[in-house]
């Protein structure tokens, strides 16, 4: 078969018979590096490794920073925690004196455990919702025991201790007792300052450890049940790191150990307030994420953006470069044929071979180019130019797809022979 009009007409065996010196040349751009280039793959792996290493270092830095910032506050005021801001030491001292400590995390548990022989310690009254404050207030009125509120502000005083108001921050860290309360007089100076001060006009109130004329410790009788409520402006006397200072240990043991049972209430996220959200309404994912994790995610996002800016490459102006390469038509044909063979695209290869042959035959037998692919116009004209045994020209030029590679090679040979016979007739 002579040089094909369509360079995409491939076969493994149907190479052009003309000599290579007469083959036309085509110009094509320089091919890009093959995707399977080992050097390119190695460079890509190195880039990925460097990027992953940078992200890992940044993530480790964020985790370490968060751990350093939050580690010292882990288990704050928790009687089972031994770090400086825990309260394990006072719990152990109470245990030695026969006081049983029970840790609860919901207001309902705290109220159910309260009673005449119980001291209820609320470590964070301001964290309670309206429902929780109501439950704790009922326990204060009905239990007949002692309730200790740590650093309650005006947010929670209105419901938990009506008639008491805050008077600003204390300016003395270790004030003197300044009252006749036995627990205060025997303890002496203690770290009740550094927090809030209180003021009240309720009858029977005992004001101790004044700072600037206002007490930092207030003891109020609770109705006819015989119980009392202790307002402590600072939680410092309960922390492990400061328990041995001044009279902190003595004051803490006497305030929390006046009854044989101590209920240590640590408000938690599980203690949800149904009044703060519509009943039966599902919360979004962001509402379920704790506040601390939101800051951690923000830090990770910033780290990711910085890593992206660091690894980003600045592209310069476009440069035009001519790289012409002479490629023989036979090489282009063979290359396309190999691609067809690799993809088992016999249908496409056969269609291209037949179409190119029909166009060349139409020019040889005088059929218009527009009718070159019309069997009714081309087949009779080609058959009229043939000699010898009759052949089915229509099946050869417009037939079905070859079933295998051997049939495709045979088709190419038959088409080449048909065109050669028409040329020489």
């Amino acid at each position: 078969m002579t040089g094909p009009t369509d360079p995409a007409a491939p076969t493994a065996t149907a190479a052009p018979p003309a000599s290579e010196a007469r083959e036309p040349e085509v110009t094509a751009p320089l091919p890009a590096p093959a995707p399977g280039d080992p050097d390119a793959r190695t460079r890509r792996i190195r880039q990925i490794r460097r990027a992953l290493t940078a992200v890992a270092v940044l993530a480790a830095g964020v985790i370490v920073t968060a751990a350093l910032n939050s580690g010292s506050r882990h288990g704050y005021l928790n009687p089972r925690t031994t770090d400086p801001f825990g309260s394990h030491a006072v719990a152990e001292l109470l245990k030695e004196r026969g006081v049983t400590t029970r840790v609860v995390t919901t207001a309902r548990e705290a109220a159910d455990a309260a009673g005449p022989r119980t001291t209820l310690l609320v470590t964070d009254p301001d964290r309670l919702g309206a429902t929780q404050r109501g439950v704790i207030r009922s326990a204060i009125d009905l239990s007949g025991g002692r309730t200790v509120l740590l650093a309650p502000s005006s947010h929670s005083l209105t419901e938990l201790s009506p008639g008491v108001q805050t008077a600003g921050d204390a300016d003395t860290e270790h004030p003197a007792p300044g009252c006749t309360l036995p627990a205060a007089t025997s303890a002496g100076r203690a770290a009740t300052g550094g927090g809030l001060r209180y003021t009240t006009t309720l009858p029977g109130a005992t004001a101790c450890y004044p700072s600037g004329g206002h007490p930092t410790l207030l003891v109020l009788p609770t109705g006819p049940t015989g119980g009392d409520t202790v307002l402590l402006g600072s939680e410092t006397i309960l922390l492990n790191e400061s328990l041995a200072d001044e009279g902190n240990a003595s004051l803490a043991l006497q305030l929390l150990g006046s009854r044989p049972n101590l209920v240590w209430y640590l408000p938690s996220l599980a203690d949800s307030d149904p009044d703060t959200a519509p009943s039966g309404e599902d919360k979004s994912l962001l509402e379920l994420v704790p506040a601390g994790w939101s800051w951690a995610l923000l830090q990770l996002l910033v780290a990711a953006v910085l890593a992206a800016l660091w690894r980003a490459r600045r592209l310069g102006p476009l440069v035009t470069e001519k790289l012409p390469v002479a490629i023989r038509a036979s090489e282009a044909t063979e290359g396309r044929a190999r691609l067809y063979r690799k993809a088992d695209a016999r249908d496409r290869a056969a269609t291209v071979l037949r179409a190119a042959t029909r166009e060349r035959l139409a020019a040889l037998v005088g059929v218009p180019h527009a009718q070159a692919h019309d069997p009714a116009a081309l087949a009779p004209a080609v058959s009229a130019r043939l000699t010898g045994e009759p052949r089915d020209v229509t099946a050869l030029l417009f037939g079905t797809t070859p079933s295998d590679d051997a049939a495709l090679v045979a088709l190419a040979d038959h088409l080449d022979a048909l065109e050669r016979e028409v040329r020489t007739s």
Side-chain angles (χ1 to χ4, degrees), residues 148-218:
V148 180
L149 305 177
L150 291 185
S153 68
S154 56
H155 175 72
S156 57
L157 282 175
T158 304
E159 297 182 48
L160 296 180
S161 186
V164 180
Q165 294 83 33
T166 57
D169 297 331
D171 53 9
T172 305
E173 292 187 0
H174 298 84
C179 66
T180 59
L181 183 70
T185 55
S186 61
R189 290 183 176 272
T192 60
L196 295 173
R197 302 178 299 172
Y198 301 100
T199 178
T200 183
T201 57
L202 295 176
T206 302
C208 300
Y209 294 98
S211 174
H214 296 284
T216 57
L217 187 150
L218 198 60

Side-chain angles (χ1 to χ4, degrees), residues 1 347-365 367 371-386 391-402 410-422:
M1 186 181 297
D347 55 345
R348 173 62 180 167
T351 300
V352 173
L353 287 172
R354 283 169 167 158
T357 302
R358 289 196 298 265
E359 292 177 358
R360 291 192 294 268
L361 289 175
L364 293 175
V365 300
V367 174
Q371 299 178 352
H373 304 290
D374 183 5
L378 182 63
V382 173
S383 299
R385 298 286 293 272
L386 300 179
R391 277 165 287 179
D392 190 355
V393 176
T394 303
L396 183 59
L397 295 176
F398 301 94
T400 59
T401 301
L411 173 65
D413 291 340
H414 292 321
L415 291 174
D416 188 49
L418 176 65
E419 183 177 352
R420 189 183 304 112
E421 184 175 352
V422 172

Side-chain angles (χ1 to χ4, degrees), residues 19-271:
S19 64
E20 293 186 357
R22 299 174 58 189
E23 292 177 349
E25 294 185 349
V26 295
T27 300
L30 183 66
D37 185 3
D39 294 336
R41 185 184 302 108
T42 302
R43 289 193 299 270
R44 189 179 304 109
I45 293 176
R46 289 176 181 174
Q47 292 174 356
I48 294 175
R49 286 179 177 175
R50 285 197 293 265
L52 292 177
T53 301
V55 173
V57 171
L58 290 173
V62 171
I63 293 174
V64 171
T65 303
L68 292 177
N69 291 336
S70 62
S72 59
R73 304 290 290 184
H74 174 70
Y76 190 70
L77 285 174
N78 193 320
R80 297 166 293 195
T81 304
T82 57
D83 62 33
F85 292 94
S87 299
H88 181 72
V90 67
E92 285 297 310
L93 292 176
L94 289 170
K95 181 179 179 181
E96 294 177 359
R97 286 158 177 76
V99 178
T100 302
T101 301
R102 175 186 174 187
V103 179
V104 298
T105 57
T106 65
R108 178 51 56 191
E109 289 178 325
D112 293 341
R117 296 169 54 84
T118 301
T119 299
L120 173 59
L121 172 64
V122 183
T123 58
D124 193 356
D126 290 345
R127 189 175 183 179
L128 304 180
T131 302
Q132 287 73 40
R133 291 195 297 268
V135 172
I136 296 300
R137 183 60 205 178
S138 298
I140 293 174
D141 294 334
L142 303 176
S143 67
R146 166 169 288 182
T147 303
V148 180
L149 305 177
L150 291 185
S153 68
S154 56
H155 175 72
S156 57
L157 282 175
T158 304
E159 297 182 48
L160 296 180
S161 186
V164 180
Q165 294 83 33
T166 57
D169 297 331
D171 53 9
T172 305
E173 292 187 0
H174 298 84
C179 66
T180 59
L181 183 70
T185 55
S186 61
R189 290 183 176 272
T192 60
L196 295 173
R197 302 178 299 172
Y198 301 100
T199 178
T200 183
T201 57
L202 295 176
T206 302
C208 300
Y209 294 98
S211 174
H214 296 284
T216 57
L217 187 150
L218 198 60
V219 181
L220 305 170
T222 307
T225 58
D228 59 12
T229 301
V230 179
L231 306 182
L232 190 59
S234 173
E235 66 275 15
T236 306
I237 66 171
L238 301 181
L239 301 178
N240 293 332
E241 65 174 2
S242 57
L243 187 64
D245 298 343
E246 299 286 347
N248 292 350
S250 176
L251 182 61
L253 293 177
Q254 293 183 77
L255 292 179
L256 302 182
S258 62
R259 271 80 171 171
N261 300 311
L262 172 62
V263 177
W264 201 294
Y265 177 28
L266 296 170
S268 67
L269 294 176
D271 192 14

